[in-house]
Amino acid sequence: MPIETIMVVGAGQMGSGIAQVAAQSGHSVILHDIKAELAERGRAAIEQRLSRYVEKEKMSGEEKAGVLSRLRLSTELEHVRQADIVIEAVTEKMEVKADLFRRLDEMAPTEVILASNTSSLPITEIAAETGRPDRVIGMHFMNPVPVMKLVEIIRGLATSDGVSREVENLARAMGKTPVEVKDFPGFVSNRVLMPMINEAIYTVYEGVATPEAVDEVMKLGMHHPMGPIQLADFIGLDTCLYIMETLYEGFGDPKYRPCPLLRQYVKAGWLGRKTGRGFYAYD
């Protein structure tokens, strides 16, 4: 059966982005969060982005209205019964995701696919919380979702070939390029990216260079569009720390040890752009 209705659980930056591209691709979307104001905030972010497209003449007003008409908000997890697939985009903590997948498994019809947007946690472990491990898969979108083309597709040990094909086809229908990777900590994207960010923070910690200098070196010398320190602020320093801890715990290799300065900033509440202060200050 073709996937027609997508439920996105979590209306934050990632969830609202996933909901947007799903609705833009013609799918019916249920955007869920635990509080109505959080779901409304997610919808407002989508409408704001679409309005910019209209202003830049990348989309007509009618197209914008069509996208928003395919989007409905929810605070009831039971709405999973109306979906063909659920894409989870909640906090990057195993205990939170495990509890959510147990509840989704209890409520969703047996044919519903349960996908996680996790950036580093093991899909096999998440799938083990359900009675349908063959229908659980990782679908890791990149941030910002409306712009970035990549989706990492991560199969758990029990994920079926059919589910993998369905999810890859869905990613293509959403205008993305799916790339299948193995179920290892950090997959490919964050296993490569996060140690680079962590090492960049170490150069600041050890007094080798300022954050501005580190970013300039990587932008001008390596042609990166954004420096690693600036990117860490954009991602969220708490998220960076959590992924580094996942890599460190998963591999037991000291090369993944989080920088003490990263820990200090997170404990101080300096999480980056979202809190107005990280390695840089934001208005």
Side-chain angles (χ1 to χ4, degrees), residues 118-155:
T118 178
S119 57
S120 61
L121 297 173
I123 298 302
T124 299
E125 188 175 338
I126 293 172
E129 299 292 335
T130 75
R132 65 183 84 194
D134 59 315
R135 301 193 71 75
V136 177
I137 196 166
M139 199 176 186
H140 178 212
F141 291 79
M142 302 296 117
N143 188 25
V145 179
V147 176
M148 305 297 280
K149 290 293 185 182
L150 174 66
V151 177
E152 282 184 307
I153 305 297
I154 309 102
R155 295 175 62 162

Side-chain angles (χ1 to χ4, degrees), residues 196-274:
M196 182 193 73
I197 287 176
N198 194 52
E199 194 64 26
I201 295 171
Y202 262 113
T203 64
V204 175
Y205 175 61
E206 294 169 358
V208 177
T210 64
E212 293 83 358
V214 173
D215 284 344
E216 282 298 290
V217 166
M218 297 305 291
K219 286 190 290 184
L220 300 180
M222 284 67 185
H223 203 54
H224 289 193
M226 184 184 292
I229 305 292
Q230 184 185 3
L231 180 57
D233 271 1
F234 179 75
I235 294 169
L237 300 186
D238 53 339
T239 300
C240 294
L241 176 60
Y242 191 80
I243 294 171
M244 286 305 303
E245 288 174 334
T246 299
L247 291 169
Y248 190 36
E249 180 182 345
F251 291 111
D253 191 323
K255 72 180 180 181
Y256 298 115
R257 184 172 66 93
C259 178
L261 185 60
L262 176 59
R263 288 191 187 279
Q264 189 177 37
Y265 272 45
V266 171
K267 287 180 179 178
W270 297 357
L271 306 183
R273 186 180 291 270
K274 62 186 174 184

Side-chain angles (χ1 to χ4, degrees), residues 4-69:
E4 296 178 351
T5 301
I6 299 170
M7 183 173 184
V8 180
V9 179
Q13 187 175 24
M14 293 299 293
S16 68
I18 294 167
Q20 177 183 325
V21 297
Q24 282 183 239
S25 62
H27 294 87
S28 296
V29 179
I30 303 167
L31 181 58
H32 172 277
D33 215 307
I34 55 175
K35 294 181 180 179
E37 56 264 35
L38 296 177
E40 289 285 357
R41 192 182 304 168
R43 186 189 186 281
I46 293 171
E47 186 166 9
Q48 186 178 45
R49 289 191 292 265
L50 296 178
S51 294
R52 286 201 295 268
Y53 296 165
V54 174
E55 290 169 9
K56 296 178 179 179
E57 299 183 347
K58 295 181 178 180
M59 174 183 284
S60 69
E62 292 76 14
E63 287 171 326
K64 172 188 170 184
V67 172
L68 293 175
S69 72

